[in-house]
Amino acid sequence: QVQLVESGGGSVQAGGSLRLSCAASGLTYEHNCMGWFRQVPGQEREGVAVIIIHEGNTKYADSVKGRFAISQDNANNMLYLQMNSLKPEDTAMYYCATSSRVLCYALSRDRYTDWGQGTQVTVSS
């Protein structure tokens, strides 16, 4: 059974940085991608960054390109999201996700099969 546990969220002023972590367990060779998504109450969950587990290719939402970086430590089953130059509009609940689907290299939530509980990021102006 897949388990994803996020940590590292918090409150920060605009321009600051945070590093989110996701501890994964139960992944198999069938899991092809991992990603970070975020959601604001009343809005759809949106893709922030995704990575192909066995290749390292990454993809980012336009709104975070140049500011956020997704990375992984496969030996320790960890996923990270380094967030720099944070803006108030980055405020959201951030979720770690993984996918056992072949066509998972996308920022679409419907491509992802397993989710963590989320960690809150709040950026004040």
Side-chain angles (χ1 to χ4, degrees):
Q1 184 175 353
V2 174
Q3 186 174 19
L4 303 172
V5 180
E6 302 96 335
S7 61
S11 296
V12 65
Q13 288 193 326
S17 299
L18 283 173
R19 188 194 195 203
L20 305 184
S21 299
C22 173
S25 61
L27 299 187
T28 71
Y29 71 94
E30 293 179 329
H31 290 88
N32 299 307
C33 301
M34 292 196 75
W36 289 98
F37 293 73
R38 65 187 182 187
Q39 188 170 21
V40 175
Q43 297 185 17
E44 292 290 319
R45 189 170 298 185
E46 65 172 355
V48 175
V50 299
I51 187 167
I52 299 177
I53 293 174
H54 304 298
E55 296 179 8
N57 301 58
T58 59
K59 182 175 292 188
Y60 295 92
D62 288 343
S63 59
V64 305
K65 280 180 182 176
R67 300 189 299 122
F68 291 12
I70 187 171
S71 62
Q72 59 186 355
D73 177 353
N74 290 342
N76 293 298
N77 294 319
M78 295 293 296
L79 182 72
Y80 302 100
L81 185 68
Q82 179 66 44
M83 305 186 295
N84 299 325
S85 302
L86 282 160
K87 304 176 181 180
E89 51 263 44
D90 295 317
T91 295
M93 184 72 79
Y94 282 72
Y95 297 90
C96 173
T98 188
S99 176
S100 56
R101 295 182 175 149
V102 175
L103 299 178
C104 59
Y105 189 49
L107 295 167
S108 302
R109 61 171 295 182
D110 59 359
R111 304 285 180 90
Y112 283 74
T113 53
D114 301 279
W115 297 85
Q117 294 298 307
T119 185
Q120 178 67 37
V121 171
T122 302
V123 184
S124 59
S125 57

